[in-house]
Amino acid sequence: MNEIVASTAIGVGIILAAAGLGSALGWGMICSKYIEGIARQPEMRAQLMGQMLFTGGLMEAFPMIVLGLSMWFIFANPFVAAAG
């Protein structure tokens, strides 16, 4: 049973790291496209900012969902229950 708990902890750590990296890369792409859009059409700044913040909010929801699933694996591990 200790092996299952240890493997789950390692897996959860890798999953959370990947979610954090994906969110950081997503924010970087969103902000770079925002600045690129302002450079092309400065008069669209307010509309682009609203779109950037909305999309960034969606980007931030992804790691929170992954965190919730990870907490489920840590505290209510289905693999430990299946092992008996």
Side-chain angles (χ1 to χ4, degrees), residues 26-38 44-60:
W27 261 113
M29 290 176 63
I30 290 168
C31 292
S32 70
K33 295 298 180 179
Y34 168 68
I35 293 171
E36 183 180 321
I38 289 175
M44 295 284 293
R45 182 177 184 190
Q47 292 168 338
L48 290 174
M49 183 178 289
Q51 290 294 321
M52 180 196 71
L53 293 175
F54 177 73
T55 308
L58 294 176
M59 182 62 59
E60 286 298 315

Side-chain angles (χ1 to χ4, degrees), residues 1-69:
M1 182 160 113
N2 289 337
E3 295 87 13
I4 294 173
V5 173
S7 297
T8 302
I10 291 171
V12 163
I14 292 170
I15 289 169
L16 288 173
L21 178 65
S23 179
L25 290 174
W27 261 113
M29 290 176 63
I30 290 168
C31 292
S32 70
K33 295 298 180 179
Y34 168 68
I35 293 171
E36 183 180 321
I38 289 175
R40 289 181 183 212
Q41 292 184 339
E43 68 276 1
M44 295 284 293
R45 182 177 184 190
Q47 292 168 338
L48 290 174
M49 183 178 289
Q51 290 294 321
M52 180 196 71
L53 293 175
F54 177 73
T55 308
L58 294 176
M59 182 62 59
E60 286 298 315
F62 172 68
M64 294 303 131
I65 293 169
V66 171
L67 178 65
L69 288 173

